Amino acid sequence: MRRELLRLDRVTVMREGVPLLDSLSMHLFAGEIVGLIPLNAQGLEELLELIGRNVPLHYGYVWFDERPVNDYRREHAGVNQVAVLEKRSRLIGAMNAPENIFVVRGGMRKYLIDDRTLADQLSRLCAELGIEIPAETPVEKLPLFIRWTVELLRAVVAGAKLVIVRDIG
């Protein structure tokens, strides 16, 4: 049986009396790649905000990772494990790939960080995936495709269960 990652059920989001999302229903399952081509930008920001941060709903229900996380009857605080990759990079250009992936993600509890350990972690991760990322080079000097790969690895290492790639073309 497929694991349901995201379900939006009859979701309506209103801002100042204007419906930005109206009775939207969507199902995403683990391992799926889904494309969404909007006719215009109306409601797109609200959809991304809803998926990531559980904004208040006018009506509807939201499940994330097979658990109810938001509905219209009460406010829900918290964020879902979602990463959004956009044209604007969230990497720190002067830092190298291992520092961007393993250090700048929150949850790092060390005060002294050994560069060799980080490089070793990156090489093991890259070996599993069959890719090669130079550990010493600052991210700003890497080719564009490698930078996107570093951003994706950073999201996965940080625990993102859903990765949204938004208008990077």
Side-chain angles (χ1 to χ4, degrees), residues 48-168:
L48 294 175
E49 197 175 333
L50 170 69
I51 292 171
R53 293 196 300 255
N54 297 323
V55 297
L57 300 175
H58 182 72
Y59 186 77
Y61 305 90
V62 178
W63 284 266
F64 189 82
D65 201 22
E66 299 183 335
R67 290 178 300 138
V69 294
N70 198 355
D71 65 60
Y72 71 98
R73 294 174 287 190
R74 59 187 178 276
E75 279 194 35
H76 292 268
V79 295
N80 300 324
Q81 294 170 313
V82 176
V84 179
L85 304 182
E86 300 178 284
K87 282 183 182 176
R88 183 183 58 100
S89 176
R90 289 185 171 87
L91 299 175
I92 300 172
M95 297 175 79
N96 59 31
E99 291 168 340
N100 270 289
I101 293 171
F102 299 112
V103 177
V104 189
R105 65 179 167 96
M108 184 69 159
R109 292 176 176 32
K110 292 187 176 186
Y111 295 103
L112 298 173
I113 300 166
D114 182 23
D115 289 336
R116 284 178 284 146
T117 304
L118 293 178
D120 184 49
Q121 283 181 323
L122 179 66
S123 67
R124 280 189 273 137
L125 185 61
C126 289
E128 283 180 34
L129 299 171
I131 59 175
E132 189 172 317
I133 298 174
E136 318 79 38
T137 309
V139 168
E140 64 193 359
K141 294 184 179 177
L142 293 174
L144 186 61
F145 178 74
I146 301 296
R147 279 184 281 181
W148 284 115
T149 306
V150 170
E151 275 210 65
L152 185 58
L153 286 175
R154 179 180 173 188
V156 171
V157 168
K161 293 183 178 182
L162 175 63
V163 177
I164 298 172
V165 179
R166 180 179 180 201
D167 195 26
I168 62 171

